[in-house]
Amino acid sequence: MVFLKRAGFYLWLYTDVQNADTVCPAARLLLLVAIGIFALFTLFFTLPSAIPTGPSLSKSIAEHKPSIPKIPKLQEFKDTLSTSLLKPFKPAVHPPLQANSTDGDSSWYSNWNWLRPFSSSVTLDENRSLLPPLKKRTPIYCYYDTTIPREKETKEAESALLLTWRRAWWAQGFKPVILGAGEAMTNPLYDELQRKEVEPKFKTNMMRWLAWENMAGGMLSDYLTLPMGAREEPLLTYLRRGEYPDLTRWEGFGNGLYAGPKSKITDAVTKALRSPAKKDAKDVIDAAPNDAFKIDKSHDGLAYYAPSVIDEEYPKVAEEIRRNRAAGLKSLNLLVNSHLHNTWQDLHPLGISVLKPLPAHTTHMIEPALSLADWLSQCGDTPEPTTCPPNLPKCSPCIASHPMKLSTPARYRNTSGLYHIGTVPHPLTLATLDSLKNDVDVAWVRRTMVRDNWLYELTKEYLGVPLGGRGRILKFKEAVADEYATAHSVWLTAEHETLPHDLDWYFGFSIPINGTDKGTSETPVPGPERRPKKAQSADDGPPPKEDEYKLEPELLKRARDLGKSKVEKDVTVRNAIEAWNLADTEAWKFVRAFLARTRVERLKWEEEESKYAEGAGSDRERKRTAWDRWTERI
């Protein structure tokens, strides 16, 4: 009724306006539009309250009425957007701290998006470097039964061989793990083995299989099976992936190496243990079915020093083992280590490049790197100098009279067959040495210092002249941390007075500090004025001036002290230099963090593994620094 009354009123009003002669046409039109809008608004928005409804009708309308979303308040709207995928209003947040991501003054954040010009764009921390994610290391197992009684000398010799085995596989990107009788005894099949009447050799061999089967598959190696080839060797690359669909052994290796998944390892062990042939079998290969293994004929990147191989190819070592096992194993360890070193030398026929950008005043700064190159170019101690590894019969044995070529070029060259050793200085260190000034101030930095000069000089030949610091730092990071680069270069920082003491693990062999006598006399203290003159290379920069070189040691010490100083003036100068040399600073921090993470990763693993197998294969000599061993050359 109310609806009809209102409709009649609006109709009367409309008719009255239409018939008004005193209203002009334009005003009449405007008035009619206003009446129409007002009428529609009042009719439709007041209609529900004007219609009498019963309880059932109200309920029905409420149930079927479409929900109209509420318009959020401004703060609710901003909060909603801040949690969306785009997050336009969300403030920047530091990445969470990762486990084992600090070491002294170094800190890092490992992320797949590591190739950024400047780490702080992701970490939001000037002192936190962005590094590539750590590669997952595929485990490789070796069985060593510590319950067997041994003489002290024999035990030490075997532990040294285990250390050589661990170091070689670690340098190739694997995770070497030593298993013992404890792992075998926890296997459910251990009790069944004890009740069987089998040959003692079969029982000993089955124990290592039970220990391996107790793990989650992977690789089982003899400690005399070592990787002897380039990191990019196809077989080593395949093994590093850790995906083994079949239980595989290698032709001619006997019990030297196996790889396979846990399910097929369990199947082979069970069948071998319950096979009728086990009474006369000497190992699992004899007792297991013929189809239990896939036999791979390709093993170019592996060397197995089996007893038969030692007898045939290394008679001097074999005779010494028969005469005195402990002394013979020490000789074998020297032989294996020299073969690992010689293989590394053969992989770099162009020699070692000790990088020296801005050569005028950086001779003393690169002395540790030059000493490392000198040691690497030597021939290691070996009982049989002219021999080759079992898998590389046509190698080029190291000859003391013809060592590897050493050069000190100013430019980095991306060349295969050439090993690089780089020394990265902090911009403050470089500024102090380059200017020959004890006190560098902000005014000198602003007016005289060339921006990012070290990185520019290093990459000028490789990347050309026009490229800026942002592009150069990306290529530099690849040259340091790329998969290929880590096997063919090592980068140090100039502020450490000594070489890292665990570089043996980086190369995979014990670096010959003493080496084979070359027939020349060298003093224990490094220095170009005391080092025997080497052949001058076309890549070498000009030699330093005598009077200027004498200033370098004191200037380098002064720069190291300024880098650690907390005095406000020194901090101001250091911050100004870092702000002026963003790319050089990023390169220095990246290398420092990369070295620190490498060390932390190994030490963490070493700490965990030292709890097992009575610490066999542990690196007990690492407390001495490289310079300590250098002094032993007196």
Side-chain angles (χ1 to χ4, degrees):
M1 195 66 185
V2 175
F3 174 79
L4 294 176
K5 289 181 179 180
R6 290 183 179 177
F9 171 76
Y10 296 137
L11 183 60
W12 170 81
L13 185 60
Y14 174 80
T15 305
D16 187 66
V17 171
Q18 281 286 80
N19 295 332
D21 297 329
T22 58
V23 181
C24 66
R28 183 186 296 117
L29 179 61
L30 183 60
L31 185 58
L32 288 174
V33 171
I35 292 172
I37 294 174
F38 181 76
L40 291 173
F41 181 85
T42 55
L43 285 174
F44 287 102
F45 283 88
T46 60
L47 177 61
S49 62
I51 300 176
T53 59
S56 61
L57 181 58
S58 298
K59 184 178 180 181
S60 177
I61 292 176
E63 291 176 351
H64 296 87
K65 182 179 179 181
S67 60
I68 301 175
K70 295 182 179 180
I71 299 176
K73 297 179 181 178
L74 179 60
Q75 186 59 41
E76 295 176 352
F77 180 69
K78 292 173 67 176
D79 292 343
T80 301
L81 285 180
S82 68
T83 56
S84 66
L85 292 176
L86 298 178
K87 302 181 180 179
F89 297 104
K90 186 174 182 179
V93 179
H94 289 82
L97 288 176
Q98 298 169 329
N100 304 316
S101 62
T102 59
D103 182 48
D105 295 333
S106 301
S107 64
W108 54 88
Y109 177 66
S110 303
N111 189 271
W112 63 271
N113 194 20
W114 63 281
L115 271 180
R116 295 289 191 92
F118 302 107
S119 300
S120 58
S121 64
V122 175
T123 63
L124 304 180
D125 185 346
E126 293 295 336
N127 295 316
R128 194 175 176 195
S129 296
L130 189 64
L131 299 181
L134 277 172
K135 297 285 185 181
K136 183 179 179 181
R137 291 179 175 269
T138 299
I140 178 169
Y141 301 102
C142 175
Y143 183 79
Y144 182 72
D145 193 349
T146 58
T147 62
I148 298 176
R150 296 177 176 86
E151 295 182 357
K152 181 180 178 181
E153 293 78 9
T154 302
K155 190 174 182 179
E156 290 177 351
E158 290 178 347
S159 182
L161 273 169
L162 284 168
L163 173 59
T164 299
W165 175 83
R166 295 170 78 220
R167 191 165 47 211
W169 284 104
W170 178 268
Q172 288 285 356
F174 294 86
K175 182 181 179 181
V177 178
I178 298 177
L179 304 177
E183 283 82 7
M185 291 177 181
T186 58
N187 194 302
L189 295 173
Y190 175 75
D191 291 337
E192 184 175 344
L193 174 64
Q194 299 305 309
R195 295 192 298 267
K196 301 287 186 180
E197 293 183 5
V198 294
E199 290 283 339
K201 288 185 177 180
F202 178 83
K203 186 174 183 179
T204 301
N205 184 261
M206 179 59 76
M207 285 288 286
R208 69 194 293 256
W209 276 82
L210 293 180
W212 183 34
E213 195 274 339
N214 206 46
M215 313 307 287
M219 302 167 61
L220 178 64
S221 166
D222 189 286
Y223 66 84
L224 293 177
T225 301
L226 299 106
M228 200 74 68
R231 189 182 181 92
E232 54 273 15
E233 178 74 33
L235 176 57
L236 295 176
T237 302
Y238 163 74
L239 294 175
R240 213 164 19 241
R241 285 198 293 266
E243 300 173 359
Y244 317 121
D246 301 304
L247 181 57
T248 306
R249 64 184 182 91
W250 277 261
E251 188 176 58
F253 268 35
N255 288 291
L257 184 68
Y258 302 94
K262 180 178 175 62
S263 59
K264 295 197 174 183
I265 298 170
T266 304
D267 185 60
V269 169
T270 304
K271 290 180 179 179
L273 190 59
R274 298 169 184 174
S275 169
K278 67 179 180 299
K279 289 185 178 181
D280 301 324
K282 298 293 189 295
D283 53 32
V284 172
I285 296 178
D286 295 339
N290 293 331
D291 59 352
F293 298 96
K294 175 186 175 182
I295 301 176
D296 194 336
K297 298 181 180 180
S298 174
H299 46 75
D300 293 339
L302 301 173
Y304 180 36
Y305 292 82
S308 58
V309 174
I310 296 175
D311 288 339
E312 182 178 349
E313 299 188 24
Y314 315 110
K316 185 176 179 180
V317 174
E319 178 60 29
E320 196 164 1
I321 291 175
R322 285 191 290 268
R323 188 170 58 249
N324 184 316
R325 179 170 173 77
L329 291 180
K330 288 180 181 179
S331 293
L332 177 60
N333 192 30
L334 288 174
L335 178 70
V336 171
N337 191 79
S338 69
H339 285 170
L340 288 166
H341 184 192
N342 191 68
T343 301
W344 179 88
Q345 290 179 335
D346 285 350
L347 293 173
H348 302 98
L350 298 182
I352 304 173
S353 170
V354 182
L355 296 168
K356 190 183 180 184
L358 302 171
H361 306 134
T362 56
T363 302
H364 185 74
M365 186 187 77
I366 68 163
E367 273 303 313
L370 200 56
S371 298
L372 174 61
D374 185 45
W375 298 336
L376 290 170
S377 67
Q378 297 181 25
C379 301
D381 291 335
T382 175
E384 302 195 31
T386 59
T387 58
C388 292
N391 63 318
L392 299 170
K394 297 182 180 180
C395 76
S396 300
C398 183
I399 302 175
S401 59
H402 295 84
M404 291 181 72
K405 176 186 175 184
L406 299 185
S407 59
T408 55
R411 312 281 184 256
Y412 170 81
R413 292 172 181 168
N414 187 21
T415 305
S416 61
L418 182 65
Y419 193 87
H420 293 94
I421 303 178
T423 303
V424 186
H426 188 278
L428 175 60
T429 303
L430 186 66
T432 304
L433 291 173
D434 196 43
S435 64
L436 297 179
K437 291 167 62 73
N438 268 317
D439 293 309
V440 176
D441 54 20
V442 176
W444 181 87
V445 173
R446 187 176 68 251
R447 297 170 185 170
T448 307
M449 189 175 187
V450 180
R451 176 174 290 178
D452 297 325
N453 201 23
W454 184 86
L455 191 60
Y456 173 79
E457 291 294 331
L458 179 74
T459 59
K460 183 163 63 174
E461 180 179 315
Y462 177 40
L463 300 176
V465 175
L467 191 65
R470 294 177 64 90
R472 293 182 189 277
I473 192 61
L474 288 177
K475 289 297 183 181
F476 174 79
K477 289 182 177 182
E478 288 182 340
V480 173
D482 185 67
E483 178 76 15
Y484 178 85
T486 54
H488 300 280
S489 66
V490 62
W491 297 82
L492 314 168
T493 55
E495 287 63 38
H496 282 81
E497 299 182 25
T498 61
L499 289 167
H501 63 264
D502 55 353
L503 282 176
D504 293 350
W505 292 86
Y506 201 93
F507 290 94
F509 52 85
S510 181
I511 300 173
I513 305 300
N514 297 314
T516 301
D517 186 11
K518 298 180 181 180
T520 59
S521 175
E522 292 191 31
T523 58
V525 181
E529 77 284 357
R530 293 180 292 269
R531 185 187 303 276
K533 299 296 183 182
K534 67 181 182 69
Q536 187 74 10
S537 170
D539 293 331
D540 294 339
K545 297 180 180 179
E546 184 87 20
D547 56 337
E548 292 181 347
Y549 173 74
K550 291 180 180 179
L551 300 175
E552 288 186 22
E554 185 61 33
L555 289 172
L556 184 58
K557 182 179 182 304
R558 171 63 176 164
R560 287 167 176 164
D561 293 340
L562 287 174
K564 296 179 286 187
S565 175
K566 303 298 182 182
V567 179
E568 183 178 357
K569 176 187 174 183
D570 298 336
V571 172
T572 300
V573 173
R574 188 167 65 242
N575 290 341
I577 288 179
E578 290 184 356
W580 185 250
N581 300 273
L582 291 177
D584 277 6
T585 303
E586 178 73 15
W588 178 79
K589 291 179 178 178
F590 185 85
V591 168
R592 182 182 65 165
F594 189 77
L595 269 178
R597 189 184 68 170
T598 302
R599 176 177 178 273
V600 168
E601 179 197 14
R602 191 192 64 79
L603 288 179
K604 184 67 177 175
W605 162 77
E606 185 84 17
E607 180 183 357
E608 294 174 356
E609 289 301 309
S610 64
K611 304 173 186 176
Y612 308 102
E614 297 181 1
S618 297
D619 195 355
R620 298 184 177 91
E621 297 298 319
R622 293 301 96 195
K623 292 183 179 180
R624 297 184 302 155
T625 66
W627 293 114
D628 292 331
R629 292 188 288 159
W630 174 280
T631 60
E632 293 174 2
R633 299 183 67 175
I634 301 177

